[in-house]
Amino acid sequence: MPRSLARGLAWGTVSSSTPAAPVDEIADAAPLSLCAREPYVPADRLVAEMVPPPRFDSVRFSTYIPDPNQPSQTEAVRVLEGFAGGLGGAHAVGGAKRGFFGFGKAKTKAAKVPAGPRGVYLDGGYGVGKTHLLASLWHATPAEPALKAFGTFVELTNLVGALGFQKTVQTLSGHRLLCIDEFELDDPGDTVLVSTLLGKLVDAGVALAATSNTLPGKLGEGRFAAVDFLREIQGLSAHFRTLRIDGEDYRHRGLPEAPAPYSDEQVTKTAYATPRASLDDFPHLLDHLAKVHPSRYGALTDGLKAVCLTDVRPIPDQSTALRLVVLADRLYDREVPVLASGLPFDQLFSEEMLNGGYRKKYFRAISRLTALARDAGRLVKG
């Protein structure tokens, strides 16, 4: 059986895709191909994987080093440590809810549930450690992992798509804490969906924590007619107490300088020389991403030690760009280096995209792909 056919069968699909460029010497094991993978991800795996990604396995409040010139960073640690400490004990259901910013003062069923926000919202620029702090909160919360959920905003909406709204509410209502990283609203439907979901979870006694580069009252600006959904957006804002984390903002530093791309030959030879590396033509990969639901992009990268791409070129449209952003996030979470030929990653997105409503997502993708490209340099021999 041809190796490509065997690999396709192993992943539940058969693909006719071939390596992106020829090589002089063929290794015993040809590279894998992302385009040959169409993983099936059961819903229970989506729930089980709602934990901090490998990159943040070992982070704790004690490993976060606040900038002495930014007192808001020290204050954020203090508040979040108290917030985590207040989430111990029995899960707050029905009227026996815990005042989330009362830090552990349980209420009796007869007591009135305190008004005000029941979650914490970390707002700040890129590179100030918001995800580090969010993951530290997850680790510090005194509850079994099965009672805590951690995921990006995209992963949360994908979970609703996989389970259905009512099943998602039922599944997450038993949790002590829901952490939502990279909180963004991309369309009016998401605005209403997430507002309703979080409202029901708060009513069930679930504590919320989120990070974003946009204040909760400003979510959705620049992407749709936010004024038409003002009630939903204000409803989201009411769930959170905002903690501003100051520091050097990635948006003020300009785009990171991406390393120079390699040649097709260098990328291909490295893919063949690196165990568990994938090798794909970039335009073909973009086409393939349109056929795989974003909730499966994490599974798409299972077992990979490196991703090798040839012929990187500008993204043709916004839908394709947003799919690439999700893949970049999953690769970054899993610390998978990316080696590429063609254009450098800081030329992926057009000026129109970088000045549009999704610019923060694209800046993040450039930053993360650039970091992974730097990591990949150690794989190249000679």
Side-chain angles (χ1 to χ4, degrees):
M1 178 183 295
R3 184 181 294 114
S4 61
L5 180 60
R7 184 168 64 243
L9 291 175
W11 280 91
T13 180
V14 176
S15 171
S16 60
S17 59
T18 57
V23 292
D24 296 329
E25 298 180 2
I26 303 299
D28 290 338
L32 302 168
S33 170
L34 291 173
C35 292
R37 294 181 165 190
E38 294 180 13
Y40 167 73
V41 182
D44 58 351
R45 172 175 169 174
L46 293 177
V47 176
E49 289 186 344
M50 291 194 73
V51 297
R55 183 177 288 271
F56 297 98
D57 272 346
S58 61
V59 302
R60 299 294 187 273
F61 288 127
S62 61
T63 63
Y64 180 81
I65 309 300
D67 183 341
N69 297 317
Q70 302 292 346
S72 63
Q73 296 184 9
T74 301
E75 175 66 6
V77 173
R78 185 192 69 78
V79 171
L80 291 173
E81 285 180 327
F83 184 64
L87 298 178
H91 178 256
V93 295
K97 295 180 181 177
R98 188 174 298 276
F100 292 140
F101 284 99
F103 299 145
K105 298 177 181 178
K107 308 297 180 182
T108 66
K109 289 187 177 181
K112 182 179 179 181
V113 177
R118 297 178 185 171
V120 60
Y121 192 100
L122 308 181
D123 175 71
Y126 295 93
V128 297
K130 299 185 303 298
T131 302
H132 183 134
L133 290 171
L134 190 69
S136 298
L137 173 63
W138 188 93
H139 288 299
T141 296
E144 293 296 321
L147 296 179
K148 303 181 285 187
F150 184 108
T152 64
F153 179 83
V154 171
E155 288 172 321
L156 180 61
T157 56
N158 287 341
L159 183 66
V160 176
L163 296 182
F165 183 82
Q166 294 300 332
K167 182 64 174 178
T168 302
V169 172
Q170 180 183 352
T171 299
L172 297 179
S173 289
H175 285 57
R176 300 265 179 83
L177 174 68
L178 171 61
C179 296
I180 310 169
D181 200 18
E182 299 158 10
F183 203 114
E184 288 287 349
L185 297 180
D186 296 337
D187 58 54
D190 281 347
T191 305
V192 177
L193 173 71
V194 174
S195 176
T196 306
L197 174 64
L198 296 187
K200 288 186 176 295
L201 294 180
V202 167
D203 287 344
V206 181
L208 305 175
T211 72
S212 181
N213 303 294
T214 306
L215 288 169
K218 300 294 185 180
L219 288 167
E221 281 192 352
R223 289 188 286 278
F224 56 84
V227 66
D228 295 336
F229 297 89
L230 186 59
R231 182 180 62 184
E232 284 79 7
I233 293 172
Q234 288 177 336
L236 281 171
S237 181
H239 294 315
F240 297 100
R241 166 187 173 181
T242 298
L243 289 178
R244 175 69 191 181
I245 304 177
D246 297 309
E248 185 180 8
D249 193 327
Y250 166 77
R251 290 168 293 184
H252 297 160
R253 298 201 304 264
L255 294 177
E257 184 178 354
Y262 292 87
S263 67
D264 284 356
E265 181 181 12
Q266 287 175 305
V267 171
T268 304
K269 285 186 175 181
T270 300
Y272 274 83
T274 305
R276 305 298 299 173
S278 66
L279 176 62
D280 292 278
D281 174 75
F282 187 68
H284 291 168
L285 175 60
L286 296 182
D287 290 341
H288 184 64
L289 292 179
K291 304 172 186 176
V292 180
H293 192 276
S295 66
R296 302 178 182 179
Y297 286 7
L300 197 67
T301 68
D302 279 352
L304 291 183
K305 298 302 182 183
V307 165
C308 297
L309 302 171
T310 58
D311 194 23
V312 171
R313 58 180 70 177
I315 305 297
D317 58 78
Q318 193 127 260
S319 295
T320 302
L322 291 173
R323 286 192 288 267
L324 183 64
V325 167
V326 177
L327 179 63
D329 287 341
R330 301 292 81 76
L331 292 171
Y332 183 81
D333 288 345
R334 290 158 175 77
E335 300 180 292
V336 179
V338 179
L339 190 73
S341 68
L343 289 178
F345 288 129
D346 56 7
Q347 297 180 31
L348 279 174
F349 306 105
S350 68
E351 286 298 319
E352 182 180 2
M353 291 179 181
L354 293 177
N355 291 322
Y358 298 104
R359 59 189 177 275
K360 293 173 185 175
K361 289 178 178 287
Y362 300 146
F363 288 162
R364 185 178 77 240
I366 292 171
S367 176
R368 291 183 168 187
L369 288 171
T370 295
L372 296 177
R374 293 194 184 105
D375 292 343
R378 58 181 169 79
L379 303 174
V380 181
K381 309 296 183 186

